[in-house]
Amino acid sequence: MKTVLKVVGSVLGACGFAGLWVGPAIAGLEDTRLLSRNANGSFLAICVNGETETVTTFDIRQNSVCDGDTQGSEPDGEPVASTFTCTGSEFSDRFYITRIDNDERLGDVVSLATCRQLIADANEALICTGSEFSDRFYITKIEDGERLGENLQMSTCRQLVKEQEGDFICAGSEFSDRFYMTRISSGQRFGEVLSLATCQQMINDIRPFPDSI
């Protein structure tokens, strides 16, 4: 089963890929134009129809690449509401996470490799945006671009987004270690300030999540 976000569109702005160009001679991958290995061991697949998706070696062995399955393993089984691509300049390696439907940029400048990784890490609700050069990133709602909490290091932001389940996340400032249990849909904070470790534990304690609090 596909395990990560599926996005639509192509990488713009003279973005090159170091990957394997796939021809129809490779069984099961006749709808795949390019496979590019990601740093985490997954693969970015560019399909003949222009769609892109991130897949695992299991997906490749099962011939489950560019097969039209847009659901993946997202928590609610629904396709991602908004999709992104990377736009920018290859020569200066300055890129932006860009919303495909309206060309809106989310966050500041990052490298191409980081831009692709942040899109791959995103889920149906959240993505990390920010500046790679100052290493200041924000948990950002895909629906409207709203930031939850304050600035984090990229590694912490990525971890929180990848581990997020339900409608709650720990949002705050990593540098002061001040976090709040936060409802994603409304941005509402619950309780007082917590350390990140305690906040994560409190969210774990309330799973499975109730419909309302």
Side-chain angles (χ1 to χ4, degrees):
M1 176 179 288
K2 297 171 189 175
T3 56
V4 290
L5 170 69
K6 180 169 182 177
V7 298
V8 179
S10 58
V11 178
L12 307 176
C15 303
F17 286 98
L20 170 67
W21 287 94
V22 178
I26 299 180
L29 296 181
E30 60 270 10
D31 295 323
T32 305
R33 181 177 298 153
L34 174 70
L35 281 177
S36 178
R37 188 177 184 89
N38 297 320
N40 64 1
S42 64
F43 292 85
L44 176 70
I46 299 182
C47 307
V48 172
N49 64 6
E51 293 185 349
T52 65
E53 58 187 56
T54 304
V55 297
T56 65
T57 53
F58 177 80
D59 296 322
I60 296 171
R61 290 195 299 268
Q62 296 296 115
N63 296 334
S64 181
V65 181
C66 295
D67 59 358
D69 176 12
T70 61
Q71 292 191 5
S73 61
E74 291 145 16
D76 58 3
E78 295 295 330
V80 174
S82 300
T83 54
F84 301 94
T85 189
C86 298
T87 63
S89 168
E90 182 176 12
F91 300 99
S92 61
D93 198 20
R94 298 172 65 87
F95 288 85
Y96 299 87
I97 299 171
T98 305
R99 198 186 299 272
I100 291 173
D101 58 3
N102 61 5
D103 199 32
E104 175 192 7
R105 290 177 174 179
L106 295 185
D108 207 337
V109 64
V110 294
S111 68
L112 174 57
T114 297
C115 183
R116 291 174 59 200
Q117 186 61 65
L118 293 175
I119 291 175
D121 288 343
N123 57 42
E124 78 284 356
L126 301 173
I127 189 170
C128 288
T129 66
S131 168
E132 183 171 14
F133 300 97
S134 61
D135 197 19
R136 298 170 70 91
F137 286 82
Y138 301 85
I139 299 168
T140 304
K141 293 171 63 174
I142 286 178
E143 180 181 14
D144 55 12
E146 177 187 357
R147 293 174 174 177
L148 298 179
E150 299 176 38
N151 52 293
L152 309 166
Q153 291 181 323
M154 181 171 66
S155 58
T156 303
C157 186
R158 287 178 57 196
Q159 175 190 353
L160 290 172
V161 167
K162 290 169 71 174
E163 295 178 354
Q164 178 263 323
E165 296 181 26
D167 195 27
F168 292 91
I169 196 166
C170 293
S173 170
E174 179 177 16
F175 301 96
S176 60
D177 197 21
R178 298 171 63 88
F179 287 84
Y180 298 86
M181 189 168 68
T182 304
R183 187 186 289 276
I184 296 169
S185 56
S186 65
Q188 178 185 0
R189 291 177 172 180
F190 290 83
E192 301 294 334
V193 65
L194 306 166
S195 69
L196 177 56
T198 301
C199 181
Q200 290 176 308
Q201 185 58 60
M202 292 182 70
I203 289 180
N204 286 333
D205 288 346
I206 64 172
R207 293 175 180 165
F209 297 105
D211 293 333
S212 63
I213 290 183

